[in-house]
Each structure stands twice: as structure tokens, then as C-alpha cells.
């Protein structure tokens, strides 16, 4: 049985005061939840303040990005070591906004994956096809490339520190969710690919979560799919009530 994993990616939203208010609301509203991992990813500048609120919490912190070197002349960048120092246990890597808006390649993303794993944190590796790729029947080809190259030179043992987030680009921030069946089909493909690249045990253990317009109204159906182990939530994670309902999904 894979432990469900629900994460909120706050993207470029919320001041430190607003972030603290939201983590306080989530912390007090979710204390009883013990059977799933709960993660929030505020902006860099809010991380240490959020970490103080969450020091004793069942909610863990993630960063939204990192640079693949721990120190040096890299003006403007933040390293995995510093994110761990700030209180993070997870780092999101390869989000489609970083691929599309900042030109990140699979090779660069792979360096980040390895740098995060080297610190002992867990990496949330995002993959997903664009609408054009889906309509051109390239979905599986794209997913295979992103997984294969993103996880290059990662050993089977290190896969315990990897969560894969399938986020079809056409479903992000559009209100257009993948259907339960479309998402399940992609997750099943990714899991079989992990079995090929590593082995069956790794594939059975790795958590593959869905992202793209996840809301209180669609989370239960998505999480009922056998290969969907959780959610990476954007917009709906900015409201305490919505995110708490998503965390409390009912897949039974
Ligand atoms: P939305 O939930 O706003 O579609 O965003 C999904 C996402 O990009 C999470 O990383």
C-alpha cells in the first residue's frame, strides 16, 4: 500500500504574513490526519516563517525549485542545502512552468533531482505533456523522455526519495482536469516505465500523484484510480477550506 501524498504548490502567491496565516489554519485544521503525507510549498521568502509554525506538525514543507549546486558564484539562486536548512523536506523540480517559462531542459532537471537527493530530501519530479503533444499522439513519448532523462543515473535505492507528479500542461490552471480514465492511463504508463527502468518493487513503491485543476469536487474520483497516489494542487491549495477537503479525499 502506498501512502497517499497531497501537496499544495502555492506558486508565486502570498506574502509571508499570508503564508503564515494559511499554514496556521491548515495546521490546526488537519491535526487528526495521520494516514497521508501533507505538504505545502510556499515561495522561498516565506519558508522559514512557515517552518516555525510547522515545527511540530504533520504538515511538511516543500520548496518550488532549486539550483543544482550547493554553493558558489550563482547569483540569485537557492541551493538544496539551504532549502533543507530553511526547514524543507521536499523540493519540487521540473514544474511545467519552469520548463516552459524558464527553458529548463530534462538534463538540467536531472541535475536538480540528483542534487536534492544528495541532501536526503525528497524530490517531487513533475512531468506532463502539452495540449499540442497530446493532440499529436505524443503523450507517452514525451512522458517516457521526461522520466528517463529526469531520473538518469538515479539508483533503485534512491527512488525512495522520489515522488513523480503527472501534470498534463493543458490541465494546469485551466479548470480542465484530465478525466479519471485519462489520468489513470498516464499513471499506469509511468509505473510500467519505472518497472522497466528499475524493477517491479520500485514501481510498486513509487508514488505517482496527479496535478492539474484538482478541486474538492474532482479529487475523490481521481484518487479512486489504482495508480493515482495523491495530488499536486495549485489554485485550490491557496484556500484553507478547499485544500483541507482535498487532503481529506475519500477514495473508499
Ligand atoms: P492548478 O491546480 O492551479 O491547475 O495547478 C496545478 C499545478 O501546477 C500544481 O503544481
Amino acid at each position: 500500500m502506498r501512502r497517499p501524498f497531497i501537496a499544495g504548490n502555492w506558486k508565486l502567491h502570498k506574502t509571508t504574513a499570508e503564508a503564515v496565516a494559511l499554514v496556521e489554519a491548515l495546521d490546526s485544521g488537519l491535526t487528526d490526519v495521520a494516514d497521508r503525507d501533507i505538504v505545502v510549498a510556499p515561495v522561498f521568502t516565506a519558508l522559514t516563517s512557515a517552518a516555525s509554525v510547522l515545527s511540530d506538525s504533520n504538515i511538511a514543507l516543500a520548496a518550488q525549485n532549486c539550483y543544482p549546486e550547493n554553493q558558489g558564484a550563482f547569483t540569485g539562486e537557492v541551493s538544496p542545502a539551504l532549502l533543507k536548512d530553511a526547514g524543507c523536506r521536499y523540493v519540487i523540480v521540473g514544474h511545467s512552468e519552469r520548463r516552459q517559462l524558464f527553458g529548463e531542459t530534462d538534463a538540467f532537471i536531472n541535475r536538480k533531482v540528483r542534487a536534492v537527493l544528495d541532501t536526503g530530501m525528497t524530490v517531487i519530479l513533475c512531468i506532463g505533456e502539452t495540449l499540442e503533444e497530446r493532440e499529436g499522439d505524443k503523450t507517452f513519448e514525451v512522458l517516457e523522455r521526461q522520466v528517463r532523462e529526469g531520473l538518469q543515473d538515479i539508483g533503485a535505492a534512491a527512488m525512495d526519495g522520489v515522488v513523480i507528479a503527472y501534470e498534463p500542461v493543458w490541465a494546469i490552471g485551466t479548470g480542465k482536469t484530465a478525466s479519471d480514465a485519462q489520468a489513470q492511463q498516464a499513471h499506469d504508463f509511468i509505473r510500467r516505465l519505472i518497472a522497466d527502468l528499475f524493477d517491479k518493487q520500485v514501481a510498486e513503491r513509487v508514488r505517482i500523484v496527479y496535478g492539474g485543476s484538482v478541486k474538492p469536487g474532482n479529487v475523490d474520483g481521481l484518487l479512486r484510480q489504482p495508480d493515482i497516489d495523491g495530488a499536486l494542487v495549485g489554485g485550490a491549495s491557496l484556500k484553507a477550506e478547499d485544500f483541507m477537503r482535498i487532503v481529506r479525499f475519500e477514495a473508499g
Side-chain angles (χ1 to χ4, degrees):
M1 272 305 281
R2 294 179 291 270
R3 186 175 162 88
F5 179 95
I6 307 287
N9 172 10
W10 296 1
K11 307 192 180 182
L12 186 42
H13 293 287
K14 298 199 182 284
T15 63
T16 298
E18 289 164 347
V20 164
L22 181 50
V23 286
E24 281 173 349
L26 296 175
D27 190 34
S28 60
L30 293 169
T31 40
D32 60 305
V33 179
D35 62 346
R36 45 200 76 179
D37 288 336
I38 312 167
V39 177
V40 293
V43 296
F44 288 143
T45 50
L47 285 172
T48 48
S49 303
S52 332
V53 177
L54 299 176
S55 61
D56 230 356
S57 175
N58 55 338
I59 302 174
L61 268 186
Q64 299 176 15
N65 181 35
C66 68
Y67 190 72
E69 298 287 341
N70 275 329
Q71 57 184 346
F74 304 108
T75 302
E77 295 298 328
V78 177
S79 69
L82 293 183
L83 294 170
K84 188 177 184 183
D85 181 55
C88 291
R89 285 186 29 214
Y90 299 86
V91 182
I92 298 171
V93 157
H95 192 280
S96 66
E97 286 147 21
R98 298 224 52 94
R99 294 175 189 263
Q100 295 202 307
L101 303 174
F102 304 101
E104 293 195 4
T105 62
D106 288 305
F108 189 50
I109 291 162
N110 174 250
R111 284 179 58 202
K112 296 184 184 202
V113 169
R114 288 186 281 130
V116 171
L117 292 174
D118 283 345
T119 65
M121 289 187 291
T122 295
V123 65
I124 303 167
L125 170 64
C126 301
I127 59 170
E129 81 287 0
T130 62
L131 184 59
E132 198 185 359
E133 289 161 344
R134 176 161 282 262
E135 288 178 342
D137 265 340
K138 296 232 159 33
T139 297
F140 296 126
E141 188 184 311
V142 169
L143 296 180
E144 175 158 357
R145 189 198 70 231
Q146 292 174 337
V147 169
R148 203 179 269 283
E149 295 184 16
L151 296 178
Q152 183 103 41
D153 296 326
I154 307 298
M159 283 299 290
D160 281 339
V162 176
V163 172
I164 297 173
Y166 169 61
E167 300 202 301
V169 180
W170 48 272
I172 294 179
T174 57
K176 243 204 246 170
T177 323
S179 70
D180 299 347
Q182 277 173 324
Q184 165 58 27
Q185 186 190 32
H187 284 231
D188 170 65
F189 173 80
I190 296 162
R191 199 176 303 285
R192 281 191 282 117
L193 181 58
I194 295 292
D196 282 351
L197 294 177
F198 299 93
D199 57 46
K200 215 166 155 23
Q201 287 72 28
V202 170
E204 282 303 314
R205 270 208 311 274
V206 70
R207 288 176 297 178
I208 307 173
V209 305
Y210 170 81
S213 298
V214 175
K215 306 276 184 257
N218 59 28
V219 67
D220 296 343
L222 286 161
L223 274 281
R224 211 166 279 142
Q225 305 305 309
D227 288 292
I228 302 184
D229 305 315
L232 181 55
V233 187
S237 72
L238 298 171
K239 289 194 206 114
E241 211 167 294
D242 284 359
F243 188 63
M244 291 194 289
R245 171 61 184 86
I246 290 170
V247 168
R248 292 183 188 282
F249 72 88
E250 291 165 28

